[in-house]
Amino acid sequence: MDGCELVCSVRSLRRLRALGRLRGFGARRGLRAARRLWRRRRTDVWGPAPRGAERARVPGPVSGAEALPGGGVVRFARSELWIRIAAGGAVFWGWDGAGPEPSYGLGGAVPEVDPRAGLEPDTDGGWRVVSRRVTVAVSRYGAVEVRTPGGVVLRRDLPPRWWEPVGGGPARWLLRTEVAADARFFGLGGRGSGPRLRDGTYRLGNTGPGAGGGAGGPGSVTMPVQMVVADAGTHLVFHDTTWDGRVALREGAEGGGSGHDRPGTAALRMEGGPLRCWVVVGTPARVLARWSRLAGPAAVPPSWALGVQHAGGDVAEVRRVVAGYRERGLPLSAVHLAGGGGAEIGRAVAEAGVRLVSVVDPAVRAERGNPVYEEGRRLGAFVRDGRGREVRGGAWSGEYVYPDVADPAVRRWWGGLCAERSGAGSAGVVLAGNGPAGGPGLSWSARRVLEGRGGDHRGARNVYGSEAARAGYEGLRRLRPGERPFLLSRAGWAGMQRYGGAWVGWAGGEWLGWAGGEWLGWAGDESPGWAGDDWLGRAGDNSAGGAGDDWAGLRAALSLVLGLGLCGVPFVGAGGGVKRRAGVGGSPEWCLRRLQLGAYLPLFLTGGGREPWEFGPVVLDGARAVLRERERLRPYLVTLAHVARLTGSPCVRPVWWGAPEDRALRDCGDAFLLGDALLVAPVLEPGVEHRAVRLPRGRWYDTVTGRAYEGPGRVVVEAPPERIPVLARGGSVVPVRGADGGVELEVWAPPAGRKGGGLVVPDPGDGWARAEVERYAVRSAGGRVVVKQVRGDGVVAPVRPVRVRGAAAGEGQW
């Protein structure tokens, strides 16, 4: 450590100690935080050498090409570009010898190439690869264009630039892209600023809430996956590097017919890693279907996990919540236990028909006598620095070490520990400390195994959460091979859907959860949050679940769920909250609107502050209606879960999903589609009893009043305190739970002379039985609504009870 670093570290010690006292953090806790920051900086001195002088480089002019199956290699004066088109139409390219493997983002073997695609000369000395679904053109200086079969350019990557350290080491790089003037950006993991990513700079490193990073802020689930929607078509791009980086987005502007359009731009700067990417084109549904085949299909949660879950709490809290729900006749499927409790509390809640889910984090208390720590030390399981010493971080009560989940052997060991925890009366696992509060907060120079390749934390931080989820998922499968595992992860990266779902806080302030058994509270714009990944406490109670309402947090949570769905993570919910304290929990209106939104998300997580019955009978009755409607829709949610695995389509979809060419719908971020059948318009502001909703094309029915609306267009609908607007598409088929507990079909009448239909996946149980898909056709003819089941052996009458809605009396027939 040189003199300058020593002075900076001493100043940091003094600053953190003073800040700790100022915030009520306590001198002792402030010193612990300061020591962690000191230790991290000291550790980094033994890590990678400073970059020093750098040499800039560009590809240069083309010098030749070599045709290969599915594409080929284009060589330039100072680099080379490998292009291959897969049989399904997905395009891969990599610079400087980068291939598609190894990859944390891909879910299996690299897809076979399209044998009909080949490299051929293009105009002006360039080259191109032509396939049935897409064309890739490379200019003589290294610009890469993706075109539709009709020749329309969807994106144009300009020649990349690298900055290589003169003394050796990983190169950082810049890639600038142009898209259509009317294009809109979506994705990048979970972003609370809105599903549509407006002009700004977005960080691509999992950092945690309140850490800055530009528009949209970084979080615990960021990923370099963009979906770009334009009139000419939709495409998804995945830049497959796990390093930290930033992307600056700027929407284009049309010239109003003058021809002087300004294209939209994306400037991607990465601190290291390979320069490689995948691109898929088509409709939104086809794009995500192909992305699902690349990144791996989503794990389907057991059907009980699609019911009502209460997030967070110790043993006393769990007992209180289960008793409260049972006493008031409110449905409850599962409750999350933070901390120990074991089989006894598991048996107690099971008697009430509720499952117990354990909250687990990777942090292991670093103290002699802790059997897990002793075993991990013996196995060499914990992350180490450049000198071979354990890297320690932790919470207020002591120091913790973290398993290197990028090591297959450690993953199996730690996954076994998760399974043991789950086996003690628990039905699943929530990973709450695998985000920046835990392992990813390690020093950049921490050494990582990286599947045997070796490296440091710079290339592993973003995937720590995903690999911890993988370990837990595989451990649960070994423990109970006949059951589908239930796992939620607080943090992750591209491909995390293979191991379970994700959950986000009611973010304006985002829930940080637990780390090392310690409560980390919330961080938001009103909180000092993190400094160097060390929690510094909070200023005020302006986060979700705090003393005041957080209406912006509801909007942000919806944006996070929509964004993750467009990145291939379909099972997402928003819930949880701060540690229960007197007077905390928001107003009755806010809490009820929060429940009304959460009930229509794939994973319904209640909890966080005061319970509905604490606000009096009006809120309790409203909550009861919401929870019962969730249970009534359970068959529909089961269907959507299996459809997501089979097709890649998210459960929660933007309203432009079926009409990406509708520019007005692209700008809509305050409503969403639940599957194809339902449009949900949550209330995201106080005092609202009517709200505007922009409808896609077709007839839409208010599911409560039955009133019909015609789209496309903007309508005003009722949103009284006891419910939010939910509209059903005319011609849709919604499987619901009937009064007898069986599945019946709720069919919404199509307009006269029109057709419709839908899918139903009967619940196959919580094992690995193959999901059977039932297809139904609906038509309106002669004043009657006719419903038929379409099977391989013909069209037959449905065997399930059918209830037609939205038709005049006497119209329904099947």
Side-chain angles (χ1 to χ4, degrees):
M1 179 180 294
D2 60 29
C4 181
E5 289 174 327
L6 181 61
V7 169
C8 290
S9 296
V10 170
R11 288 175 178 169
S12 297
L13 277 167
R14 293 172 178 168
R15 188 180 302 116
L16 283 173
R17 183 173 182 176
L19 181 58
R21 288 173 173 168
L22 179 63
R23 300 295 187 187
F25 194 52
R28 187 175 180 182
R29 290 175 177 175
L31 283 172
R32 282 177 177 164
R35 281 197 297 268
R36 288 196 296 273
L37 182 57
W38 173 283
R39 185 181 296 113
R40 182 172 299 137
R41 290 187 174 182
R42 186 180 62 187
T43 299
D44 281 335
V45 172
W46 295 90
R51 297 187 66 90
E54 294 180 319
R55 179 186 299 111
R57 181 165 64 86
V58 295
V62 68
S63 61
E66 176 186 359
L68 297 172
V73 176
V74 181
R75 296 186 175 88
F76 299 86
R78 290 175 290 278
S79 188
E80 65 180 29
L81 173 67
W82 179 25
I83 305 172
R84 68 193 306 271
I85 298 181
V91 178
F92 170 84
W93 69 75
W95 286 92
D96 272 2
E101 294 182 309
S103 171
Y104 283 103
L106 301 187
V110 177
E112 297 292 329
V113 299
D114 183 349
R116 294 169 295 183
L119 185 68
E120 59 187 47
D122 199 6
T123 58
D124 298 326
W127 295 82
R128 66 181 180 181
V129 181
V130 180
S131 72
R132 186 168 63 91
R133 294 186 175 92
V134 65
T135 296
V136 181
V138 183
S139 77
R140 61 182 300 183
Y141 287 102
V144 180
E145 290 184 351
V146 177
R147 303 171 181 168
T148 67
V152 178
V153 177
L154 295 178
R155 69 181 289 116
R156 183 172 190 265
D157 288 350
L158 302 180
R161 298 186 67 183
W162 294 268
W163 288 266
E164 299 174 334
V166 173
R172 56 189 181 94
W173 47 267
L174 166 65
L175 183 65
R176 298 182 184 274
T177 302
E178 295 178 349
V179 296
D182 68 286
R184 297 293 180 260
F185 299 99
F186 300 87
L188 296 183
R191 303 286 169 166
S193 58
R196 172 183 164 191
L197 303 176
R198 299 180 184 270
D199 293 0
T201 299
Y202 299 81
R203 187 169 177 182
L204 296 175
N206 287 350
T207 61
S220 298
V221 189
T222 65
M223 55 186 73
V225 179
Q226 295 178 45
M227 180 175 281
V228 184
V229 182
D231 289 353
T234 300
H235 71 274
L236 178 146
V237 58
F238 167 48
H239 292 97
D240 193 358
T241 174
T242 60
W243 283 62
D244 199 356
R246 283 175 169 80
V247 57
L249 302 179
R250 184 185 182 192
E251 295 179 348
E254 294 179 295
S258 66
H260 297 288
D261 292 351
R262 175 172 58 80
T265 61
L268 178 63
R269 297 176 183 270
M270 301 300 292
E271 296 301 315
L275 202 175
R276 59 183 181 178
C277 72
W278 289 88
V279 178
V280 290
V281 303
T283 65
R286 290 179 179 175
V287 162
L288 278 187
R290 291 166 186 164
W291 171 236
S292 178
R293 287 195 288 269
L294 279 174
V300 180
S303 58
W304 60 261
L306 296 170
V308 181
Q309 299 188 47
H310 189 280
D314 55 17
V315 172
E317 176 78 357
V318 165
R319 291 185 183 276
R320 184 190 68 83
V321 167
V322 172
Y325 273 76
R326 188 176 187 181
E327 177 184 343
R328 293 162 180 84
L330 301 176
L332 182 64
S333 293
V335 62
H336 300 179
L337 173 65
E344 181 181 353
I345 185 64
R347 288 190 296 268
V349 301
E351 292 175 359
V354 179
R355 289 173 171 82
L356 188 71
V357 176
S358 295
V359 179
V360 180
D361 65 76
V364 176
R365 188 184 292 272
E367 62 183 15
R368 300 286 184 176
N370 179 354
V372 176
Y373 175 64
E374 297 290 354
E375 183 181 8
R377 286 191 65 202
R378 179 176 57 81
L379 296 174
F382 302 122
V383 176
R384 298 178 178 273
D385 62 17
R387 295 174 292 177
R389 299 181 180 181
E390 292 174 353
V391 177
R392 298 191 177 190
W396 301 334
S397 61
E399 293 186 325
Y400 292 82
V401 291
Y402 300 91
D404 186 355
V405 289
D407 182 340
V410 174
R411 239 184 350 255
R412 184 175 181 86
W413 170 72
W414 191 77
L417 295 179
C418 284
E420 289 178 15
R421 177 75 174 274
S422 178
S426 179
V429 166
V430 173
L431 298 178
N434 62 331
L442 299 167
S443 60
W444 292 115
S445 63
R447 308 305 298 168
R448 304 296 302 280
V449 172
L450 293 178
E451 317 302 322
R453 300 187 302 275
D456 56 51
H457 202 49
R458 293 175 297 175
R461 174 172 178 154
N462 282 341
V463 295
Y464 193 97
S466 294
E467 292 306 286
R470 176 182 177 182
Y473 178 82
E474 292 172 349
L476 292 173
R477 288 201 63 170
R478 291 192 298 270
L479 174 69
R480 291 189 285 262
E483 299 180 18
R484 296 199 305 274
F486 173 65
L487 184 140
L488 291 182
S489 181
R490 185 67 182 89
W493 198 68
M496 66 178 298
Q497 73 279 353
R498 301 191 293 264
Y499 315 118
W503 62 273
V504 298
W506 292 109
E510 221 175 330
W511 186 31
L512 302 178
W514 297 76
E518 288 294 324
W519 181 254
L520 298 178
W522 291 75
D525 293 337
E526 303 298 326
S527 166
W530 291 81
D533 303 312
D534 286 286
W535 177 249
L536 300 180
R538 55 187 294 137
D541 282 320
N542 293 323
S543 60
D549 300 337
D550 185 10
W551 292 96
L554 299 187
R555 189 179 297 272
L558 174 57
S559 297
L560 290 163
V561 173
L562 283 166
L564 286 170
L566 293 177
C567 292
V569 185
F571 307 119
V572 189
V578 298
K579 204 170 184 177
R580 180 181 175 80
R581 299 194 305 273
V584 169
S587 69
E589 181 188 12
W590 182 82
C591 288
L592 188 53
R593 293 306 195 188
R594 183 184 72 164
L595 284 176
Q596 291 167 349
L597 167 59
Y600 293 95
L601 300 181
L603 296 169
F604 185 17
L605 305 175
T606 68
R610 300 160 66 190
E611 307 306 332
W613 54 83
E614 298 180 48
F615 292 100
V618 174
V619 174
L620 177 59
D621 289 344
R624 180 178 287 112
V626 167
L627 300 182
R628 289 181 176 175
E629 178 64 9
R630 172 72 178 205
E631 289 300 301
R632 193 181 76 91
L633 288 175
R634 182 91 72 89
Y636 183 52
L637 295 164
V638 169
T639 293
L640 295 181
H642 287 279
V643 167
R645 177 175 179 82
L646 294 172
T647 69
S649 295
C651 306
V652 167
R653 307 165 187 176
V655 292
W656 50 259
W657 178 257
E661 70 283 354
D662 189 329
R663 299 188 181 186
L665 290 179
R666 289 184 211 160
D667 296 337
C668 179
D670 62 353
F672 60 93
L673 297 174
L674 183 61
D676 280 332
L678 301 180
L679 189 156
V680 182
V683 173
L684 306 174
E685 297 176 352
V688 171
E689 295 195 10
H690 293 80
R691 61 150 294 176
V693 180
R694 186 163 293 280
L695 300 177
R697 183 177 302 277
R699 176 172 294 177
W700 296 87
Y701 296 94
D702 187 310
T703 55
V704 173
T705 67
R707 181 178 176 181
Y709 301 90
E710 297 295 332
R714 185 175 179 269
V715 299
V716 177
V717 297
E718 297 179 3
E722 64 272 13
R723 67 179 179 88
I724 58 174
V726 178
L727 295 93
R729 188 193 302 268
S732 62
V733 178
V734 182
V736 298
R737 180 173 291 174
D740 61 353
V743 176
E744 66 180 30
L745 305 181
E746 191 170 79
V747 177
W748 292 88
R754 300 287 183 86
K755 297 180 180 179
L759 303 178
V760 177
V761 179
D763 188 355
D766 295 337
W768 297 96
R770 180 179 178 182
E772 301 294 333
V773 179
E774 299 175 3
R775 292 175 169 81
Y776 293 91
V778 180
R779 61 185 177 90
S780 178
R784 298 183 302 176
V785 176
V786 180
V787 182
K788 295 291 185 180
Q789 184 175 355
V790 182
R791 304 192 313 195
D793 56 355
V795 178
V796 300
V799 297
R800 302 185 183 280
V802 175
R803 183 162 62 104
V804 176
R805 299 190 62 185
E811 271 192 48
Q813 179 171 329
W814 51 90

mmCIF file of all heavy atoms in Angstrom, residues 128-136 146-154 232-233 281-282 286 290:
data_model
loop_
_atom_site.group_PDB
_atom_site.id
_atom_site.type_symbol
_atom_site.label_atom_id
_atom_site.label_comp_id
_atom_site.label_asym_id
_atom_site.label_seq_id
_atom_site.Cartn_x
_atom_site.Cartn_y
_atom_site.Cartn_z
ATOM 1 N N ARG A 128 -21.243 -10.740 -46.193
ATOM 2 C CA ARG A 128 -22.543 -10.941 -45.568
ATOM 3 C C ARG A 128 -22.828 -12.431 -45.406
ATOM 4 O O ARG A 128 -22.264 -13.273 -46.108
ATOM 5 C CB ARG A 128 -23.649 -10.292 -46.395
ATOM 6 C CG ARG A 128 -23.870 -10.936 -47.759
ATOM 7 C CD ARG A 128 -24.963 -10.237 -48.524
ATOM 8 N NE ARG A 128 -25.180 -10.868 -49.836
ATOM 9 C CZ ARG A 128 -26.059 -10.452 -50.733
ATOM 10 N NH1 ARG A 128 -26.796 -9.367 -50.479
ATOM 11 N NH2 ARG A 128 -26.199 -11.087 -51.880
ATOM 12 N N VAL A 129 -23.712 -12.701 -44.422
ATOM 13 C CA VAL A 129 -24.212 -14.056 -44.198
ATOM 14 C C VAL A 129 -25.724 -13.978 -44.308
ATOM 15 O O VAL A 129 -26.370 -13.221 -43.578
ATOM 16 C CB VAL A 129 -23.808 -14.593 -42.814
ATOM 17 C CG1 VAL A 129 -24.318 -16.011 -42.627
ATOM 18 C CG2 VAL A 129 -22.298 -14.538 -42.642
ATOM 19 N N VAL A 130 -26.293 -14.774 -45.224
ATOM 20 C CA VAL A 130 -27.716 -14.712 -45.523
ATOM 21 C C VAL A 130 -28.384 -15.992 -45.060
ATOM 22 O O VAL A 130 -27.904 -17.101 -45.333
ATOM 23 C CB VAL A 130 -27.962 -14.510 -47.038
ATOM 24 C CG1 VAL A 130 -29.456 -14.438 -47.340
ATOM 25 C CG2 VAL A 130 -27.261 -13.257 -47.527
ATOM 26 N N SER A 131 -29.492 -15.839 -44.326
ATOM 27 C CA SER A 131 -30.312 -16.986 -43.950
ATOM 28 C C SER A 131 -31.763 -16.643 -44.224
ATOM 29 O O SER A 131 -32.091 -15.528 -44.630
ATOM 30 C CB SER A 131 -30.116 -17.342 -42.473
ATOM 31 O OG SER A 131 -30.727 -16.389 -41.634
ATOM 32 N N ARG A 132 -32.649 -17.602 -43.985
ATOM 33 C CA ARG A 132 -34.062 -17.399 -44.289
ATOM 34 C C ARG A 132 -34.691 -16.342 -43.393
ATOM 35 O O ARG A 132 -35.595 -15.622 -43.807
ATOM 36 C CB ARG A 132 -34.810 -18.722 -44.136
ATOM 37 C CG ARG A 132 -36.271 -18.672 -44.556
ATOM 38 C CD ARG A 132 -36.846 -20.070 -44.664
ATOM 39 N NE ARG A 132 -36.829 -20.737 -43.385
ATOM 40 C CZ ARG A 132 -37.834 -20.701 -42.522
ATOM 41 N NH1 ARG A 132 -38.915 -19.975 -42.786
ATOM 42 N NH2 ARG A 132 -37.773 -21.374 -41.392
ATOM 43 N N ARG A 133 -34.226 -16.215 -42.132
ATOM 44 C CA ARG A 133 -34.864 -15.312 -41.178
ATOM 45 C C ARG A 133 -34.122 -13.995 -40.985
ATOM 46 O O ARG A 133 -34.706 -13.027 -40.503
ATOM 47 C CB ARG A 133 -35.003 -16.006 -39.815
ATOM 48 C CG ARG A 133 -35.955 -17.182 -39.804
ATOM 49 C CD ARG A 133 -36.127 -17.707 -38.388
ATOM 50 N NE ARG A 133 -37.122 -18.757 -38.320
ATOM 51 C CZ ARG A 133 -36.856 -20.047 -38.432
ATOM 52 N NH1 ARG A 133 -35.611 -20.444 -38.641
ATOM 53 N NH2 ARG A 133 -37.819 -20.948 -38.353
ATOM 54 N N VAL A 134 -32.840 -13.942 -41.304
ATOM 55 C CA VAL A 134 -32.062 -12.759 -40.997
ATOM 56 C C VAL A 134 -30.843 -12.705 -41.906
ATOM 57 O O VAL A 134 -30.361 -13.746 -42.385
ATOM 58 C CB VAL A 134 -31.622 -12.767 -39.516
ATOM 59 C CG1 VAL A 134 -30.661 -13.910 -39.230
ATOM 60 C CG2 VAL A 134 -31.027 -11.439 -39.090
ATOM 61 N N THR A 135 -30.362 -11.490 -42.151
ATOM 62 C CA THR A 135 -29.130 -11.275 -42.897
ATOM 63 C C THR A 135 -28.184 -10.437 -42.048
ATOM 64 O O THR A 135 -28.609 -9.458 -41.426
ATOM 65 C CB THR A 135 -29.404 -10.550 -44.223
ATOM 66 O OG1 THR A 135 -30.207 -11.381 -45.056
ATOM 67 C CG2 THR A 135 -28.108 -10.216 -44.945
ATOM 68 N N VAL A 136 -26.900 -10.829 -42.020
ATOM 69 C CA VAL A 136 -25.874 -10.079 -41.309
ATOM 70 C C VAL A 136 -24.868 -9.579 -42.331
ATOM 71 O O VAL A 136 -24.299 -10.376 -43.089
ATOM 72 C CB VAL A 136 -25.172 -10.944 -40.245
ATOM 73 C CG1 VAL A 136 -24.115 -10.131 -39.510
ATOM 74 C CG2 VAL A 136 -26.175 -11.516 -39.262
ATOM 75 N N VAL A 146 -27.633 -5.902 -38.876
ATOM 76 C CA VAL A 146 -28.619 -6.980 -38.823
ATOM 77 C C VAL A 146 -29.828 -6.511 -39.617
ATOM 78 O O VAL A 146 -30.411 -5.466 -39.308
ATOM 79 C CB VAL A 146 -29.018 -7.315 -37.378
ATOM 80 C CG1 VAL A 146 -30.088 -8.391 -37.355
ATOM 81 C CG2 VAL A 146 -27.800 -7.771 -36.590
ATOM 82 N N ARG A 147 -30.202 -7.283 -40.635
ATOM 83 C CA ARG A 147 -31.279 -6.890 -41.532
ATOM 84 C C ARG A 147 -32.376 -7.945 -41.549
ATOM 85 O O ARG A 147 -32.121 -9.125 -41.305
ATOM 86 C CB ARG A 147 -30.746 -6.712 -42.959
ATOM 87 C CG ARG A 147 -29.611 -5.718 -43.097
ATOM 88 C CD ARG A 147 -29.021 -5.782 -44.495
ATOM 89 N NE ARG A 147 -27.900 -4.852 -44.674
ATOM 90 C CZ ARG A 147 -27.072 -4.888 -45.718
ATOM 91 N NH1 ARG A 147 -27.253 -5.797 -46.679
ATOM 92 N NH2 ARG A 147 -26.068 -4.019 -45.814
ATOM 93 N N THR A 148 -33.591 -7.497 -41.822
ATOM 94 C CA THR A 148 -34.689 -8.424 -42.036
ATOM 95 C C THR A 148 -34.493 -9.109 -43.392
ATOM 96 O O THR A 148 -33.684 -8.662 -44.222
ATOM 97 C CB THR A 148 -36.034 -7.683 -42.032
ATOM 98 O OG1 THR A 148 -36.087 -6.824 -43.190
ATOM 99 C CG2 THR A 148 -36.182 -6.850 -40.764
ATOM 100 N N PRO A 149 -35.222 -10.212 -43.642
ATOM 101 C CA PRO A 149 -35.104 -10.835 -44.973
ATOM 102 C C PRO A 149 -35.423 -9.877 -46.113
ATOM 103 O O PRO A 149 -34.932 -10.047 -47.227
ATOM 104 C CB PRO A 149 -36.128 -11.981 -44.901
ATOM 105 C CG PRO A 149 -36.211 -12.316 -43.445
ATOM 106 C CD PRO A 149 -36.059 -11.010 -42.737
ATOM 107 N N GLY A 150 -36.239 -8.833 -45.823
ATOM 108 C CA GLY A 150 -36.550 -7.851 -46.855
ATOM 109 C C GLY A 150 -35.502 -6.770 -47.012
ATOM 110 O O GLY A 150 -35.658 -5.871 -47.838
ATOM 111 N N GLY A 151 -34.429 -6.815 -46.201
ATOM 112 C CA GLY A 151 -33.342 -5.864 -46.331
ATOM 113 C C GLY A 151 -33.427 -4.650 -45.430
ATOM 114 O O GLY A 151 -32.569 -3.763 -45.512
ATOM 115 N N VAL A 152 -34.430 -4.575 -44.538
ATOM 116 C CA VAL A 152 -34.548 -3.440 -43.630
ATOM 117 C C VAL A 152 -33.540 -3.604 -42.488
ATOM 118 O O VAL A 152 -33.460 -4.669 -41.868
ATOM 119 C CB VAL A 152 -35.978 -3.330 -43.062
ATOM 120 C CG1 VAL A 152 -36.076 -2.171 -42.073
ATOM 121 C CG2 VAL A 152 -36.981 -3.156 -44.194
ATOM 122 N N VAL A 153 -32.781 -2.560 -42.188
ATOM 123 C CA VAL A 153 -31.759 -2.617 -41.153
ATOM 124 C C VAL A 153 -32.419 -2.436 -39.783
ATOM 125 O O VAL A 153 -33.066 -1.418 -39.515
ATOM 126 C CB VAL A 153 -30.684 -1.533 -41.372
ATOM 127 C CG1 VAL A 153 -29.667 -1.568 -40.235
ATOM 128 C CG2 VAL A 153 -29.997 -1.731 -42.714
ATOM 129 N N LEU A 154 -32.242 -3.420 -38.893
ATOM 130 C CA LEU A 154 -32.759 -3.341 -37.532
ATOM 131 C C LEU A 154 -31.751 -2.713 -36.578
ATOM 132 O O LEU A 154 -32.123 -1.985 -35.664
ATOM 133 C CB LEU A 154 -33.141 -4.734 -37.025
ATOM 134 C CG LEU A 154 -34.297 -5.424 -37.745
ATOM 135 C CD1 LEU A 154 -34.520 -6.813 -37.154
ATOM 136 C CD2 LEU A 154 -35.569 -4.594 -37.649
ATOM 137 N N ALA A 232 -40.183 -1.483 -37.867
ATOM 138 C CA ALA A 232 -39.627 -2.462 -38.806
ATOM 139 C C ALA A 232 -39.526 -3.851 -38.214
ATOM 140 O O ALA A 232 -39.422 -4.832 -38.958
ATOM 141 C CB ALA A 232 -38.246 -2.004 -39.281
ATOM 142 N N GLY A 233 -39.555 -3.975 -36.903
ATOM 143 C CA GLY A 233 -39.445 -5.285 -36.272
ATOM 144 C C GLY A 233 -38.860 -5.181 -34.880
ATOM 145 O O GLY A 233 -38.404 -4.109 -34.438
ATOM 146 N N VAL A 281 -34.294 -12.048 -33.876
ATOM 147 C CA VAL A 281 -35.240 -11.106 -34.474
ATOM 148 C C VAL A 281 -36.583 -11.794 -34.667
ATOM 149 O O VAL A 281 -36.687 -13.018 -34.718
ATOM 150 C CB VAL A 281 -34.710 -10.563 -35.811
ATOM 151 C CG1 VAL A 281 -33.360 -9.906 -35.635
ATOM 152 C CG2 VAL A 281 -34.628 -11.677 -36.843
ATOM 153 N N GLY A 282 -37.633 -10.970 -34.797
ATOM 154 C CA GLY A 282 -38.978 -11.497 -35.027
ATOM 155 C C GLY A 282 -39.997 -10.719 -34.228
ATOM 156 O O GLY A 282 -39.746 -9.607 -33.763
ATOM 157 N N ARG A 286 -41.841 -14.530 -30.702
ATOM 158 C CA ARG A 286 -40.819 -15.365 -31.325
ATOM 159 C C ARG A 286 -39.434 -15.043 -30.790
ATOM 160 O O ARG A 286 -38.598 -15.935 -30.612
ATOM 161 C CB ARG A 286 -40.860 -15.186 -32.839
ATOM 162 C CG ARG A 286 -42.097 -15.796 -33.489
ATOM 163 C CD ARG A 286 -42.111 -15.571 -34.993
ATOM 164 N NE ARG A 286 -43.292 -16.168 -35.615
ATOM 165 C CZ ARG A 286 -43.606 -16.046 -36.897
ATOM 166 N NH1 ARG A 286 -42.808 -15.328 -37.701
ATOM 167 N NH2 ARG A 286 -44.695 -16.613 -37.377
ATOM 168 N N ARG A 290 -37.054 -17.872 -28.924
ATOM 169 C CA ARG A 290 -35.684 -18.230 -29.334
ATOM 170 C C ARG A 290 -34.688 -17.911 -28.226
ATOM 171 O O ARG A 290 -33.722 -18.650 -28.014
ATOM 172 C CB ARG A 290 -35.333 -17.488 -30.625
ATOM 173 C CG ARG A 290 -36.136 -17.986 -31.822
ATOM 174 C CD ARG A 290 -36.044 -17.055 -33.015
ATOM 175 N NE ARG A 290 -36.934 -17.489 -34.092
ATOM 176 C CZ ARG A 290 -37.292 -16.725 -35.115
ATOM 177 N NH1 ARG A 290 -36.833 -15.477 -35.200
ATOM 178 N NH2 ARG A 290 -38.103 -17.188 -36.045
#
